Amino acid sequence: QKEVEQDPGPLSVPEGAIVSLNCTYSNSAFQYFMWYRQYSRKGPELLMYTYSSGNKEDGRFTAQVDKSSKYISLFIRDSQPSDSATYLCAMGLVTGTASKLTFGTGTRLQVTL
Amino acid sequence: NAGVMQNPRHLVRRRGQEARLRCSPMKGHSHVYWYRQLPEEGLKFMVYLQKENIIDESGMPKERFSAEFPKEGPSILRIQQVVRGDSAAYFCASSPGQGQLSGYTFGSGTRLTVV
């Protein structure tokens, strides 16, 4: 079993739709939960991060973490064609010298006009 | 303020040659991480370095791969005697310090193709 599971998609939605992206994880020690956006042939760009269960909102984006269920989500409201990208969830822990992220495989999102 | 700089952007090597990938962290960042992204897979951690020190190399293949972050100059990921399976995108990230994962910034990557 992978430490982080993410539906690879692709996910195609019309402009203006609400998008829900999800990841599950198995390591209850993870302390940081992050979402990255990666455009084709580019490096990942940090969208949101959180350390605790609950919701965190930033503009059209809401990150949700449920540590009891080991489940995180990213919601995108009023989706735009420019949101078309691959979205990667990532989880991290910092213990001793460890400071690395464990990524999901990414969900490819296409927002159509 | 330049971000994380990686070069070259694209690298083609024949089987058996050596590949050297370079990464200059963001200004003020002293921690460097290397990740590998294979087609249709997520990023996989390879190695974490500070200046002149390898902190965590648990993701590095045991043979042919090495990394360094010298006192002066960029971090280098070196792959000796490349094979077709080494073809991937290699990303470098930097952060201001240990535990500051919110400041984790990635470069645009080096795409290695082994022919």
Side-chain angles (χ1 to χ4, degrees):
Chain A
Q1 182 190 9
K2 291 181 180 178
E3 275 194 294
V4 179
E5 299 274 2
Q6 184 175 8
D7 186 339
L11 182 62
S12 183
V13 301
E15 184 179 9
I18 296 174
V19 177
S20 172
L21 304 166
N22 310 295
C23 287
T24 59
Y25 62 96
S26 58
N27 187 349
S28 57
F30 283 133
Q31 300 162 299
Y32 296 77
F33 304 91
M34 309 159 102
W35 285 94
Y36 283 83
R37 177 173 61 194
Q38 186 176 22
Y39 291 112
S40 181
R41 316 297 268 180
K42 299 289 187 184
E45 169 195 8
L46 180 64
L47 276 177
M48 299 191 71
Y49 70 92
T50 183
Y51 311 124
S52 56
S53 281
N55 292 353
K56 182 176 180 180
E57 191 172 318
D58 184 1
R60 296 185 295 111
F61 298 91
T62 300
Q64 189 176 79
V65 174
D66 182 346
K67 287 188 177 182
S68 62
S69 301
K70 299 191 184 71
Y71 189 89
I72 71 169
S73 298
L74 178 71
F75 299 97
I76 307 174
R77 290 183 298 281
D78 188 24
S79 54
Q80 304 294 310
S82 58
D83 295 329
S84 299
T86 297
Y87 289 80
L88 301 159
C89 64
M91 323 224 170
L93 53 86
V94 181
T95 56
T97 57
S99 194
K100 61 189 180 187
L101 296 178
T102 302
F103 282 84
T105 52
T107 299
R108 194 176 307 169
L109 171 67
Q110 181 73 39
V111 180
T112 57
L113 290 169
Chain B
N1 181 21
V4 177
M5 303 301 292
Q6 288 189 251
N7 63 82
R9 291 295 303 276
H10 302 276
L11 182 62
V12 179
R13 285 286 178 265
R14 296 185 185 280
R15 281 179 293 172
Q17 290 185 320
E18 178 180 286
R20 282 186 178 235
L21 289 63
R22 288 177 292 278
C23 169
S24 296
M26 281 186 71
K27 187 176 181 181
H29 286 195
S30 57
H31 297 241
V32 165
Y33 314 81
W34 286 92
Y35 286 77
R36 177 165 63 176
Q37 187 174 38
L38 292 166
E40 306 304 321
E41 292 189 21
L43 285 87
K44 303 290 186 189
F45 170 80
M46 299 181 75
V47 62
Y48 162 34
L49 311 104
Q50 296 176 28
K51 286 282 187 182
E52 300 184 279
N53 281 305
I54 296 174
I55 305 302
D56 180 355
E57 57 181 345
S58 58
M60 286 280 269
K62 298 298 180 196
E63 297 177 350
R64 303 187 297 107
F65 285 72
S66 63
E68 62 176 9
F69 189 14
K71 187 176 180 180
E72 301 291 337
S75 175
I76 306 287
L77 179 67
R78 182 180 177 208
I79 312 172
Q80 294 178 290
Q81 298 176 310
V82 296
V83 301
R84 288 243 170 95
D86 297 332
S87 296
Y90 292 81
F91 290 95
C92 168
S94 70
S95 72
Q98 183 177 333
Q100 297 183 26
L101 297 184
S102 58
Y104 224 86
T105 303
F106 281 89
S108 294
T110 293
R111 279 155 185 83
L112 172 66
T113 302
V114 179
V115 297

